[in-house]
Amino acid sequence: MNIGVLALQGGFVEHIRMLKEFNVNCIEIRQKSDIITHHFDGIIFPGGESSVIGKLLRELDLFEPLKKMIECGLPVFGTCAGMILLAKHIVNDQRTHFGVLDIHVRRNAYGKQSGSFKTIDVFKGLGKIPMVFIRAPYIEKVGENIEVLSVINNNIVAVKQNNIIVTSFHPELTTDSSVHRLFISVIQASNDNKLQKIDV
Ligand code: GLN
């Protein structure tokens, strides 16, 4: 299984380190040739600064090909800035980026850096897991096809829409790899679906 990790800015190294626990091949995506020369089963958008990553994606000509891949059903896992990049609506920013995930997200929703925090709380299907929030967004509203996976203090912080999973927090900064395992199971299910379609 090939998982691409967007490696333009932010916390991509931690995702790659966490994926080492699994039998997957990690490919850093830094330039267009990285997506042309590889096949991907899934892709991770790490945390960082969504405005910077969005700008670099466009400047490096990665934006359109990645958007097409996501629209064609490529499984994606976005953490924090990754969630913002995927959102259809950013309530406190005029920009949108991929605009594929039917959520209204608020950037820096917990205030400045000092509003960053750690907690241990419930994630649907995974029980209680550690969560690290760093200048994190949260989701104010979700569309019909969204499955809510975690709510902390009345704020939605993790959702799933078909093959897309996003978290406001950073599981890759903890020692708990269960959200990554969940993402890998989404990729496996998507690959199985493709095989079934070919069989028909
Ligand atoms: N505050 C950042 C943004 O708006 C996200 C922070 C993060 O990814 N940890 O893009």
Side-chain angles (χ1 to χ4, degrees), residues 78-90:
T79 52
C80 206
M83 167 193 274
I84 297 165
L85 288 171
L86 290 160
K88 267 194 188 158
H89 311 277
I90 307 173

Side-chain angles (χ1 to χ4, degrees), residues 106-172:
R106 179 175 292 279
R107 290 183 70 192
N108 303 324
Y110 298 93
K112 298 204 166 138
Q113 196 67 39
S114 52
S116 300
F117 63 102
K118 277 189 203 169
T119 188
I120 298 179
D121 218 312
V122 177
F123 190 106
K124 192 173 173 185
L126 304 180
K128 284 195 162 193
I129 60 165
M131 304 173 176
V132 176
F133 292 81
I134 302 174
R135 295 213 304 125
Y138 61 62
I139 299 168
E140 294 193 340
K141 210 160 97 181
V142 297
E144 273 181 12
N145 291 325
I146 297 283
E147 182 186 1
V148 174
L149 299 174
S150 185
V151 180
I152 309 294
N153 301 329
N154 293 323
N155 298 315
I156 300 171
V157 296
V159 299
K160 179 171 183 294
Q161 173 189 292
N162 302 321
N163 286 340
I164 303 176
I165 295 180
V166 292
T167 61
S168 297
F169 58 90
H170 294 274
E172 77 285 4

